[in-house]
Amino acid sequence: MFDVSLGPDNSAAILREMERNLERAETESASRCAETARRTVRRRSGRTAASIEAHPDGSVTAGEASVFLERGTVRMPAFPFLGPAFDREVEPTVERMREI
Amino acid sequence: MKAIEDALFALFSGDDGTLVDPNGTTALNSLVGEEIYREGSVPAEAAFPRIQYGPCPGVDIFTFVSRSYERVTFPVKAVDSGLSAEAAFAIRQRIDFLLTDRPLELEAGTCIYLRRIGTFEQPEYDGDQHYQHVGADYQALVA
């Protein structure tokens, strides 16, 4: 007979495993988002593309001219890349979370 | 998505105050006149304040059988010159009234959802020139 109830003996281990899987899913989502952003960002010097980074906490950052590219200026139209990259990762991220 | 862009232009350019906002926002034809442009199509002689919208990229959502709908996220912003963003804020408020839970009339497809998902404000300094970008991101579902 198998007892698979969630009790004080195994709940901590299960929660730790869930946390690890969650972190893995977040990191993977951030990496894919950053990858898409690097591929689609408008390039001249390549500095903005090189500044795009995925972080272990699931965030993606971009430096250099990223805000001007994303939102545009009076002299330059917007060339969004972070927003669309994030949008593309929403469904795959939800699927990864479902598997935890 | 071209259908969304065309619908936005038609909505904004046709806003003559017929739709009355209980919060008292002013019609866009009084605020910006004909200064309504798709991002990337703004002529050098365009006046301020003005509205710039788009681009409108989408993400396809498929079921087992076919594409159920497309999720389109797009920015709409007011751009004004000077140190004050008051006019730009008034424009954004009116745009928000026009686009909240009021699905667009599209030439292709059916807009089944439209709401704002976030705002942004970005001052710009170009030498001694100051500009105000005040806008918001919207999300539409098009079946």
Side-chain angles (χ1 to χ4, degrees):
Chain A
M1 188 163 81
F2 296 100
D3 181 0
V4 290
S5 61
L6 190 66
D9 292 336
N10 60 0
S11 55
I14 290 172
L15 285 172
R16 272 197 302 273
E17 182 67 20
M18 282 177 70
E19 239 180 75
R20 271 196 294 271
N21 288 337
L22 184 63
E23 279 167 14
R24 213 173 295 138
E26 280 178 346
T27 306
E28 189 178 342
S29 290
S31 297
R32 288 181 179 269
C33 185
E35 209 177 287
T36 304
R38 270 183 225 112
R39 200 174 58 241
T40 56
V41 69
R42 188 170 186 247
R43 287 173 182 261
R44 285 182 66 184
S45 65
R47 284 201 300 265
T48 303
S51 73
I52 299 170
E53 276 183 54
H55 301 277
D57 65 353
S59 63
V60 177
T61 57
E64 298 297 330
S66 55
V67 68
F68 304 116
L69 283 171
E70 190 75 20
R71 296 300 185 192
T73 68
V74 168
R75 293 175 188 268
M76 182 184 77
F79 295 95
F81 61 102
L82 281 175
F86 171 80
D87 273 348
R88 275 164 175 72
E89 268 313 299
V90 169
E91 266 73 34
T93 300
V94 169
E95 286 305 315
R96 278 180 213 114
M97 297 298 176
R98 281 203 186 110
E99 290 165 12
I100 292 172
Chain B
M1 177 183 264
K2 186 178 182 301
I4 294 249
E5 291 180 1
D6 292 345
L8 287 173
F9 182 81
L11 178 66
F12 297 155
S13 58
D15 182 30
D16 57 2
T18 306
L19 284 171
V20 179
D21 182 3
N23 293 320
T25 53
T26 307
L28 290 179
N29 67 356
S30 299
L31 293 173
V32 298
E34 295 178 352
E35 303 297 327
I36 300 167
Y37 302 101
R38 180 186 177 276
E39 194 70 42
S41 303
V42 183
E45 64 274 15
F48 296 102
R50 60 186 188 231
I51 292 172
Q52 292 175 214
Y53 61 88
C56 306
V59 175
D60 294 317
I61 309 298
F62 281 84
T63 61
F64 294 109
V65 180
S66 62
R67 177 164 42 222
S68 293
Y69 59 91
E70 189 174 346
R71 189 177 66 239
V72 183
T73 307
F74 57 91
V76 183
K77 68 178 180 182
V79 185
D80 198 7
S81 65
L83 291 171
S84 171
E86 288 300 315
F89 277 118
I91 295 167
R92 183 174 75 183
Q93 203 175 351
R94 179 66 182 181
I95 291 170
D96 190 46
F97 164 70
L98 292 173
L99 294 182
T100 298
D101 289 332
R102 201 185 308 277
L104 296 167
E105 300 281 337
L106 303 180
E107 284 181 3
T110 306
C111 181
I112 58 178
Y113 173 98
L114 176 58
R115 275 188 181 171
R116 193 176 80 181
I117 57 173
T119 60
F120 60 88
E121 287 126 34
Q122 181 190 326
E124 181 190 343
Y125 309 108
D126 184 7
D128 60 351
Q129 299 296 312
H130 295 81
Y131 304 101
Q132 309 293 333
H133 300 253
V134 174
D137 292 310
Y138 291 86
Q139 192 162 86
L141 301 182
V142 179

